[in-house]
Amino acid sequence: MQRRISLIPQPQQLTAADGELDLSTLGAIAADPELRSLAWLLSDLLARGTGLRLTVTGSAAGDAGADNRVLRLALEGERPEDFTTAAEAYRLDVTHEGVDLVAAHPAGIARGIATLRQLLPADALREAPAAAPLVPLVSVADEPRLRWRGVMLDVARHFQPKDFVLKMIDRAWLHRLNVVQLHLTDDQGWRFEVPTRPKLTEIGSWRAETVVGHARDAQGYDGTPHGGHYSVSDLREIASYARERHIMIVPEVNLPGHARAVLAAYPELGAGQNEPVCPTFGVFEEVLEPTQAALDFALEAYTAIGEVFDGPFVHIGGDEVPMTQWESSPVAKALMEQEGLEDVHGVQAWFTRAFCDHLTKMGKRVIGWDEILDGGAPPEAAVAVWRAEAYVKKALAAGHEVLVSPQTHVYFDYYESDGEDEPLRIHGHTPVEKVAAWDPAPPGVDESRILGAQCQLWSEYLPTPRDVEYAAFPRMAVFAEVAWTNPEVRQADSVLDRLEAHLDRLHAMGIGYRPLEGPRPWQRGGTGRRRRFDWESQAPVAE
Ligand code: ACM
């Protein structure tokens, strides 16, 4: 019986013929030299899920033995620049003669492999042989709509172990996303080693305890230390794991605000407060003082992280920086006079400019949250718009490229339904249907200046990988389609109709996704009691 083909994201063009190809009838994976590592990765994945062991040979005719039927990975045509939609385009033909996966750039081959993995039975995504290597006969011609299709993991509010980060990179790959942003620092923890600043990890990477329940409706503290950080070797492993799959890691070091963990480690970089690493969630007034010492610290951290991750972007954070500390700071006042800054927002702009200058010299591009617009930012900085769509137009008008990541549609720490059974969330309402109906390019904007789109997994109320999985899936799969597939293709075949079949893949991969009908009883967790906090009235919801 022919299986129904339910890919997510939907390729731009797909035609299917009757029948299937049994990959075990092929002689080898025949790959151009530059594609050897991807070919071995594919061979390894096929072996794990189906038991089929295909060796990798050169692409020259005759290498593959007997009847020369192969799974061919080949580069053809003029090489596009890195990090363009053309670089991720591919053609995939599955016929009785073999598999032909062709692209002009290795990134396109990586995307085509993700599609091929979805064409196999769902059970082929397991870690040990559980399915036959059968692929339906198809012809796919595909290219993403947007250049940057990302997911942000907040490993700061709750540390996520390295193996989970690797898993999420793999899941991003399977959904043809190409960016994983790591939110590495926040008030509640500093999560990576900077060898010249040992106190960041000795002191800044753990907190004594965590608030129970919603931070605005605290039910006490749990009395349990929480912490963790990635060593330089961990970061290198994450970097090379992502590089093999043509996924860009964008490390975020969030400064000059959200700095409580930094200031717990190095209080001299602040205004004299002596606060611990933060045990609760929100926006806090302690920020870096605009001193040379604080700036030197920040540049050291950006250098360290920019050297480990070789991708073109570093995220400088910049969101939710209260101005209160600087308003009464003699250091800030002196800086404002010296630099002729109009108001304290100029102090943040002073930091932003210095971060940009430094990272540009390192050959990096900077991206920051949309608050960097408030005091002004160099136009070469890209802006991640999260607060409201109005900032997309504001950022474009100021000459920035924009990453569209609005809280209204792609904050996956928001509630998935109105149901009583949902685990505790920060607030919001983002059911999967709302994600499916979203278009990342607001009407009337020049799409060529839209860098892309990104979903966020803030982790205040996602304490464990299981909680992150529940929040991420299946919304992240739907998001991937929104970012990849052209609107007319999406309209012709709703992603919601393909979702049920896709859940079988998530299940095979062991992902604790949210069933479409609602949480399973043991998925109702979170931190503390599940008493909702009503953001509008700023009060607990009556029980
Ligand atoms: C943000 O949600 N504060 C970027």
Side-chain angles (χ1 to χ4, degrees):
M1 191 189 69
Q2 181 83 13
R3 277 183 286 128
R4 181 161 183 264
I5 298 173
S6 293
L7 304 178
I8 296 183
Q10 180 79 312
Q12 309 293 8
Q13 287 177 39
L14 179 146
T15 47
D18 284 341
E20 291 187 310
L21 173 69
D22 183 344
L23 299 184
S24 68
T25 65
L26 303 181
I29 300 177
D32 288 354
E34 208 190 340
L35 302 175
R36 289 293 174 87
S37 64
L38 276 170
W40 279 115
L41 196 54
L42 173 59
S43 170
D44 189 40
L45 289 166
L46 287 171
R48 267 196 259 163
T50 72
L52 171 64
R53 292 189 183 275
L54 285 177
T55 194
V56 174
T57 67
S59 47
D63 277 7
D67 65 356
N68 224 8
R69 290 165 63 253
V70 293
L71 196 166
R72 189 173 80 103
L73 308 184
L75 291 173
E76 281 179 15
E78 198 178 322
R79 174 99 165 208
E81 275 182 46
D82 292 354
F83 193 53
T84 54
T85 58
E88 292 185 288
Y90 66 94
R91 278 197 348 260
L92 174 65
D93 290 291
V94 182
T95 66
H96 288 302
E97 300 314 308
V99 177
D100 214 29
L101 174 54
V102 178
H105 189 289
I109 298 290
R111 302 303 160 249
I113 288 175
T115 298
L116 184 61
R117 288 179 78 194
Q118 288 202 11
L119 286 167
L120 286 156
D123 280 339
L125 294 169
R126 292 180 183 273
E127 290 298 315
L134 298 174
V135 183
L137 305 184
V138 289
S139 180
V140 174
D142 205 10
E143 178 171 348
R145 175 184 177 193
L146 300 174
R147 261 178 297 165
W148 176 318
R149 304 172 310 283
V151 54
M152 189 210 75
L153 288 181
D154 173 5
V155 296
R157 269 51 175 271
H158 281 97
F159 179 67
Q160 308 293 337
K162 181 208 68 191
D163 63 316
F164 182 66
V165 174
L166 301 184
K167 276 188 176 162
M168 288 300 283
I169 292 169
D170 201 50
R171 293 159 185 181
W173 182 33
L174 184 75
H175 291 93
R176 307 207 293 286
L177 296 177
N178 65 345
V179 174
V180 173
Q181 179 177 328
L182 295 177
H183 181 80
L184 288 164
T185 73
D186 217 300
D187 298 297
Q188 297 79 13
W190 179 280
R191 303 292 177 216
F192 70 99
E193 181 188 5
V194 180
T196 54
R197 298 280 181 166
K199 286 196 219 162
L200 283 174
T201 40
E202 282 164 24
I203 297 173
S205 76
W206 66 281
R207 57 181 180 262
E209 55 185 354
T210 302
V211 69
V212 175
H214 200 288
R216 306 260 185 121
D217 175 29
Q219 298 154 36
Y221 288 82
D222 66 6
T224 305
H226 175 87
H229 75 271
Y230 308 115
S231 67
V232 172
S233 303
D234 290 334
L235 297 173
R236 290 210 178 105
E237 182 185 358
I238 292 170
S240 70
Y241 192 90
R243 195 184 307 112
E244 281 182 333
R245 290 154 180 78
H246 292 265
I247 303 281
M248 173 164 70
I249 298 288
V250 176
E252 178 188 354
V253 179
N254 193 2
L255 296 170
H258 285 281
R260 281 275 299 266
V262 175
L263 297 176
Y266 296 103
E268 64 274 22
L269 304 179
Q273 306 95 331
N274 196 8
E275 301 284 342
V277 177
C278 208
T280 187
F281 306 113
V283 175
F284 302 92
E285 291 190 351
E286 296 81 10
V287 298
L288 294 186
E289 276 287 85
T291 59
Q292 192 58 45
L295 189 56
D296 289 347
F297 159 79
L299 301 187
E300 219 171 298
Y302 287 125
T303 301
I305 206 68
E307 281 175 351
V308 177
F309 291 109
D310 55 7
F313 281 91
V314 171
H315 200 302
I316 59 169
D319 63 320
E320 298 174 326
V321 185
M323 299 291 140
T324 37
Q325 180 182 309
W326 295 337
E327 270 159 3
S328 57
S329 152
V331 179
K333 188 157 178 278
L335 179 81
M336 287 167 65
E337 279 168 15
Q338 180 196 315
E339 300 282 325
L341 306 175
E342 268 174 33
D343 59 27
V344 278
H345 288 286
V347 176
Q348 179 168 1
W350 176 81
F351 275 112
T352 305
R353 157 70 61 195
F355 298 167
C356 285
D357 286 350
H358 179 74
L359 285 161
T360 304
K361 279 198 205 102
M362 283 184 74
K364 302 286 184 182
R365 282 198 63 189
V366 162
I367 181 163
W369 298 110
D370 59 51
E371 285 92 333
I372 65 171
L373 292 170
D374 296 348
E380 65 271 19
V383 174
V385 170
W386 71 276
R387 287 181 291 181
E389 209 168 89
Y391 288 96
V392 173
K393 292 195 175 139
K394 187 172 172 191
L396 291 174
H400 303 278
E401 284 194 310
V402 172
L403 180 66
V404 188
S405 40
Q407 54 180 340
T408 47
H409 288 81
V410 282
Y411 268 36
F412 293 165
D413 55 326
Y414 280 19
Y415 279 104
E416 303 196 35
S417 80
D418 286 334
E420 289 291 305
D421 289 341
E422 292 298 341
L424 180 71
R425 290 289 178 255
I426 188 161
H427 64 113
H429 184 229
T430 305
V432 73
E433 295 81 7
K434 185 172 174 185
V435 183
W438 182 57
D439 193 276
V445 307
D446 172 6
E447 203 171 310
S448 72
R449 302 292 297 163
I450 301 282
L451 198 50
Q454 183 167 283
C455 59
Q456 274 59 234
L457 288 160
W458 298 107
S459 70
E460 288 95 327
Y461 303 100
L462 305 178
T464 69
R466 294 309 272 179
D467 297 298
V468 176
E469 288 179 348
Y470 178 91
F473 295 102
R475 290 186 290 191
M476 186 174 126
V478 171
F479 165 78
E481 169 143 329
V482 165
W484 178 286
T485 309
N486 290 340
E488 57 283 5
V489 179
R490 284 169 56 203
Q491 274 149 22
D493 179 353
S494 167
V495 63
L496 298 174
D497 294 336
R498 277 172 277 125
L499 211 44
E500 196 74 54
H502 192 65
L503 297 183
D504 291 345
R505 296 188 186 108
L506 304 183
H507 179 74
M509 294 173 90
I511 296 174
Y513 64 87
R514 179 189 184 277
L516 298 177
E517 56 281 8
R520 303 179 202 277
W522 58 91
Q523 291 180 313
R524 296 173 192 172
T527 48
R529 274 159 60 221
R530 292 178 298 108
R531 187 162 68 188
R532 280 192 185 217
F533 180 81
D534 181 15
W535 209 258
E536 304 301 320
S537 65
Q538 293 286 301
V541 173
E543 287 176 274

